[in-house]
Amino acid sequence: EAELREGIAALRERVAEAEEAADTGVPAGAVTGGTVAGVSLSTLNAIAACESGGDPTAVNAAGYYGKYQFDLGTWASVGGSGNPAEASEEEQDYRAALLYSQSGSSPWPVCGV
């Protein structure tokens, strides 16, 4: 009986993680310690501070959106949909980390670290 209860508790935890991932657009386990998808939070924070002042709702008249000032094509290239400035901050961090993992700082030529 104790084994069964432990199994049920583990399943509930997995369901909760899956629901959270669905809500934020971020896979469970993508944020660990001081990293997002393997990129340090300090790196992401420095880019965001420079790009938008860290504002996840920022919109630039030139067509750049969100905390990392994504253009829509770049956002889509890392799996985003819709307007980045309307996505959760966690999803923006995750998608920026994916982009950084693929391209380094080159997508942020002024603010890249």
Side-chain angles (χ1 to χ4, degrees), residues 56-57 65-66 75 82-89 91-92:
T57 64
Y65 305 90
W75 178 250
N83 180 340
E86 295 173 358
S88 70
E89 186 170 6
E91 181 176 5
Q92 291 183 49

Side-chain angles (χ1 to χ4, degrees), residues 24-47:
T24 65
V26 179
V31 180
T32 57
T35 68
V36 177
V39 178
S40 77
L41 282 172
S42 62
T43 296
L44 294 174
N45 289 336
I47 293 169

Side-chain angles (χ1 to χ4, degrees), residues 30-111:
V31 180
T32 57
T35 68
V36 177
V39 178
S40 77
L41 282 172
S42 62
T43 296
L44 294 174
N45 289 336
I47 293 169
C50 177
E51 288 289 334
S52 68
D55 180 0
T57 64
V59 176
N60 176 300
Y64 298 97
Y65 305 90
K67 188 174 177 179
Y68 299 94
Q69 293 293 279
F70 283 99
D71 66 37
L72 297 179
T74 302
W75 178 250
S77 78
V78 290
S81 62
N83 180 340
E86 295 173 358
S88 70
E89 186 170 6
E90 293 83 7
E91 181 176 5
Q92 291 183 49
D93 291 343
Y94 174 67
R95 304 228 178 268
L98 292 178
L99 183 59
Y100 192 92
S101 293
Q102 294 170 359
S103 305
S105 63
S106 63
W108 301 279
V110 174
C111 297

